[in-house]
Amino acid sequence: MSSELIISASQKGTRIALLQQKRLVEYHVEESENSFTVGDIYLGTVRKLVTGLNAAFVDIGYEKDAFLHYHDLGPNVQSLNKLTKEVIAKRMNSGKLNNFKMEPEIDKLGKIDKVLGKNQPILVQVVKEPISTKGPRLSCDISIAGRYAVLVPFSNSVNISKKITDKAERTRLHRLMTSVKPANFGIIVRTVAANKEVEELDRDIQNSIQKWENGMKMLTEAKPRDRIIGEMNRASSIMRDLLNDTFDSITVDTKDMYDDIKGFIHTIAPDKEKILKLYSGKNKLFEQVGLEKQIKSLFGRSVSLPGGGYLIVEHTEALHVIDVNSGNKSNNEENQEDTALHTNIEAAKEIARQLRLRDMGGIIVVDFIDMKKAEHKKQLYDEMKAEMKADRSKFTLLPLTKFGLMQITRQRVRPEINIVTREVCPTCNGTGTIQPSILISDIIENNLEYLLTRQNEQKVSVALHPYLHAYFTAGFPSPRLKWLFRYKSWVKLLKDSSLAVTEFKFYDKYGEEIEIAAT
């Protein structure tokens, strides 16, 4: 199965699309102002202890204090607090733990006020980004994720991913990791480490150790709310977790992003450098590869299935509900039971994709079309389980109930992706009254005349909906060709289906948007 990664950067942030067999399966929007990412490690300050919840609220710089439960402290939080105190006081100048005296583990059923104190500085890691009205969720069980292994300070265990099932390989990895891991650091071996040489595994661990030590050096001069160790950006983390032989293309549209990703790929998989490409076309990257249309069609309330059925996706504060409908499809199935099975199997594949695409979390209830045969219900459950295997988030899947409902819980660590697929008229802003759309071509031409004759702009480009693009380029002579004769200047027209039919944007020769008053 071929995989592609498409990355488009802008001033507002970065859009990342993961495609498999040309189909969009993951979509991420990384906003530039969002500074609280899963995996980031901060120097926080304990603001409040709530013994009734057995939790603390910690200030890490977000508008609302972050939440830290006792169960998320980790067994070795006392050792972490001791190290934090020693480094801040500059009695230690590195993160090496070879000669560090570990503190006793805390009681699993203890109370948070026996471990933490108000206004205490504490090293914490973000495990869930701010969602809705809630602040970030934190943990003191610090870990540094690498490509092949996760480094866990203040631990001495070596654990192997359960997905590595070969007994001989598990034994080999355990022996190798035990021999290369530093003192007072634990290791969690990831699935992609299977069959890798010791040099690659050791290099990955050394990179994580260096990251930890750099963070401890920063801690010596850090102030409360400072980020001590930053998780890599979303694009790099996807490559770290997923980059394998199935990847045949990674495309980016900015030189800075190209250089950053090339350096990262050189570190983790040098043989994959050749698949990285820098896009320099005229149209927007997502528009060029047909992603804008996919995004618009996949994030709506109604999602079509290949055989004629469709899904209705509803969101509430407490859960997500997905209804499966057969529609007015015509097929070759002999009876209602076979039609229901066929549609449900198609729906299971699309639902697994939708959960990844929208990053839906919490409780999801799926109302499948009723089936009477027990073997068909089991077949549907097995299909859903197989489709969900590719999901990187933790999930629990229950068999169908007697009412044909399937219950899914899926780990949610980031806000759900929500794309507005219904376009609001840019002229009336949803009031329902606009000037005649037939005049939009006149408005564009009036603005163009103003830019070319009064402002003397050169090499003007116009981004507009494909319908408008077709109108201005059709026929001979086309309206665009007439502009050339009239203004002695060639105007570039850029298709952009993310714009509404009556929307357009002007750009100068440097690619900067030209602000122009409506006429």
Side-chain angles (χ1 to χ4, degrees):
M1 182 181 291
S2 66
S3 300
E4 298 177 66
L5 199 61
I6 310 293
I7 306 167
S8 179
S10 67
Q11 291 181 342
K12 294 182 180 179
T14 304
R15 296 201 295 168
I16 305 160
L18 176 63
L19 284 71
Q20 289 178 350
Q21 303 294 96
K22 301 295 182 182
R23 295 173 72 244
L24 184 64
V25 293
E26 283 191 32
Y27 179 65
H28 304 274
V29 180
E30 192 172 51
E31 296 178 357
S32 52
E33 64 268 18
N34 179 24
S35 58
F36 299 93
T37 304
V38 172
D40 284 349
I41 299 174
Y42 285 85
L43 178 60
T45 304
V46 178
R47 288 297 180 211
K48 188 192 298 182
L49 295 170
V50 185
T51 53
L53 296 175
N54 204 17
F57 286 92
V58 181
D59 179 16
I60 61 170
Y62 188 65
E63 57 191 58
K64 290 190 175 182
D65 289 339
F67 183 78
L68 174 63
H69 194 272
Y70 183 86
H71 292 156
D72 294 321
L73 291 176
N76 295 298
V77 64
Q78 298 287 34
S79 298
L80 176 65
N81 288 339
K82 177 182 174 182
L83 178 73
T84 304
K85 187 176 179 180
E86 294 287 308
V87 173
I88 291 175
K90 299 184 179 178
R91 290 191 288 267
M92 284 184 66
N93 55 10
S94 79
K96 293 182 178 178
L97 304 178
N98 302 51
N99 301 316
F100 183 80
K101 185 178 179 182
M102 299 278 285
E103 294 295 306
E105 294 185 359
I106 61 172
D107 184 359
K108 291 181 179 179
L109 304 176
K111 298 295 182 183
I112 199 157
D113 56 351
K114 304 298 181 185
V115 179
L116 301 179
K118 191 175 180 181
N119 296 324
Q120 174 184 338
I122 183 172
L123 212 57
V124 290
Q125 187 166 34
V126 177
V127 294
K128 185 181 286 188
E129 294 177 13
I131 297 174
S132 185
T133 59
K134 299 176 183 177
R137 180 151 185 169
L138 306 175
S139 171
C140 288
D141 202 359
I142 304 292
S143 61
I144 311 291
R147 176 160 168 78
Y148 300 121
V150 178
L151 186 71
V152 186
F154 312 108
S155 172
N156 279 298
S157 62
V158 174
N159 297 302
I160 313 293
S161 167
K162 292 179 181 178
K163 292 182 180 179
I164 300 177
T165 54
D166 184 81
K167 187 175 181 181
E169 181 60 15
R170 291 179 66 87
T171 302
R172 183 187 78 92
L173 288 171
H174 192 281
R175 176 174 51 81
L176 288 178
M177 288 301 187
T178 303
S179 65
V180 299
K181 83 172 190 68
N184 291 327
F185 282 94
I187 297 289
I188 301 172
V189 181
R190 308 182 71 172
T191 308
V192 290
N195 303 313
K196 298 298 179 183
E197 298 296 329
V198 65
E199 291 82 7
E200 292 181 89
L201 302 176
D202 185 47
R203 184 167 59 248
D204 186 55
I205 292 172
Q206 293 305 320
N207 288 339
S208 296
I209 292 171
Q210 188 61 52
K211 196 173 180 181
W212 167 259
E213 292 189 358
N214 290 341
M216 292 303 101
K217 288 177 183 176
M218 182 175 287
L219 183 59
T220 58
E221 306 295 335
K223 298 175 183 177
R225 299 181 168 192
D226 280 358
R227 182 162 53 185
I228 306 304
I229 299 176
E231 175 61 289
M232 61 183 60
N233 60 47
R234 197 75 58 84
S236 296
S237 67
I238 290 173
M239 285 186 287
R240 178 192 66 195
D241 296 344
L242 297 179
L243 189 60
N244 54 35
D245 292 338
T246 67
F247 269 79
D248 49 28
S249 176
I250 300 171
T251 308
V252 300
D253 61 0
T254 64
K255 186 67 167 63
D256 289 344
M257 181 72 75
Y258 176 84
D259 292 337
D260 289 346
I261 291 178
K262 186 174 183 180
F264 180 69
I265 295 177
H266 180 75
T267 302
I268 65 167
D271 58 312
K272 286 291 180 182
E273 279 187 65
K274 60 181 179 294
I275 69 173
L276 179 64
K277 304 168 188 173
L278 176 62
Y279 174 75
S280 57
K282 296 177 183 177
N283 293 329
K284 290 182 179 179
L285 176 56
F286 271 46
E287 182 74 31
Q288 182 66 27
V289 297
L291 278 173
E292 293 290 4
K293 185 176 179 181
Q294 281 201 57
I295 291 169
K296 288 284 186 181
S297 65
L298 289 170
F299 280 88
R301 177 175 176 268
S302 176
V303 180
S304 299
L305 299 176
Y310 61 94
L311 309 176
I312 298 294
V313 184
E314 298 280 7
H315 309 282
T316 71
E317 184 67 26
L319 49 80
H320 308 279
V321 180
I322 302 175
D323 185 34
V324 180
N325 297 276
S326 61
N328 58 354
K329 68 193 289 285
S330 59
N331 51 52
N332 298 322
E333 280 79 22
E334 295 180 356
N335 53 54
Q336 184 178 346
E337 180 79 7
D338 290 341
T339 299
L341 175 63
H342 179 81
T343 305
N344 284 340
I345 293 293
E346 281 190 345
K349 295 176 180 179
E350 184 59 39
I351 289 167
R353 179 192 185 192
Q354 286 288 326
L355 297 184
R356 292 176 68 187
L357 263 179
R358 304 186 191 213
D359 209 2
M360 293 163 62
I363 300 171
I364 301 109
V365 178
V366 184
D367 182 9
F368 283 105
I369 300 171
D370 288 339
M371 297 183 297
K372 295 180 180 179
K373 294 183 179 179
E375 62 266 29
H376 287 172
K377 293 181 178 181
K378 184 177 185 307
Q379 183 180 345
L380 175 60
Y381 173 68
D382 292 341
E383 181 69 29
M384 192 72 192
K385 197 159 54 171
E387 291 293 329
M388 291 284 288
K389 276 186 178 179
D391 200 327
R392 291 183 293 148
S393 293
K394 295 178 182 177
F395 64 88
T396 303
L397 192 68
L398 298 182
L400 286 168
T401 68
K402 64 185 293 186
F403 298 115
L405 302 177
M406 181 176 288
Q407 300 164 72
I408 305 169
T409 60
R410 186 175 182 273
Q411 183 186 33
R412 179 169 60 177
V413 296
R414 298 182 182 92
E416 179 193 342
I417 297 289
N418 185 24
I419 305 296
V420 177
T421 57
R422 294 187 178 184
E423 298 171 353
V424 175
C425 170
T427 306
C428 74
N429 290 321
T431 62
T433 56
I434 64 169
Q435 59 182 318
S437 57
I438 196 171
L439 297 181
I440 192 66
S441 60
D442 294 338
I443 294 172
I444 292 175
E445 290 186 348
N446 290 341
N447 287 330
L448 192 61
E449 181 180 16
Y450 175 80
L451 292 174
L452 295 176
T453 61
R454 298 189 188 181
Q455 291 195 183
N456 294 318
E457 290 282 354
Q458 299 295 321
K459 297 183 179 178
V460 172
S461 302
V462 189
L464 32 67
H465 192 277
Y467 290 161
L468 284 172
H469 183 279
Y471 170 76
F472 285 122
T473 56
F476 184 83
S478 66
R480 177 166 59 172
L481 195 57
K482 291 178 182 178
W483 297 341
L484 175 63
F485 298 145
R486 187 183 308 161
Y487 304 118
K488 305 298 186 287
S489 178
W490 180 253
V491 179
K492 291 182 181 178
L493 297 180
L494 308 174
K495 291 181 185 177
D496 190 347
S497 57
S498 66
L499 297 176
V501 175
T502 53
E503 275 188 296
F504 54 88
K505 293 179 181 179
F506 287 96
Y507 296 95
D508 62 19
K509 61 183 178 181
Y510 303 109
E512 299 290 332
E513 185 175 352
I514 303 171
E515 296 293 338
I516 187 166
T519 57

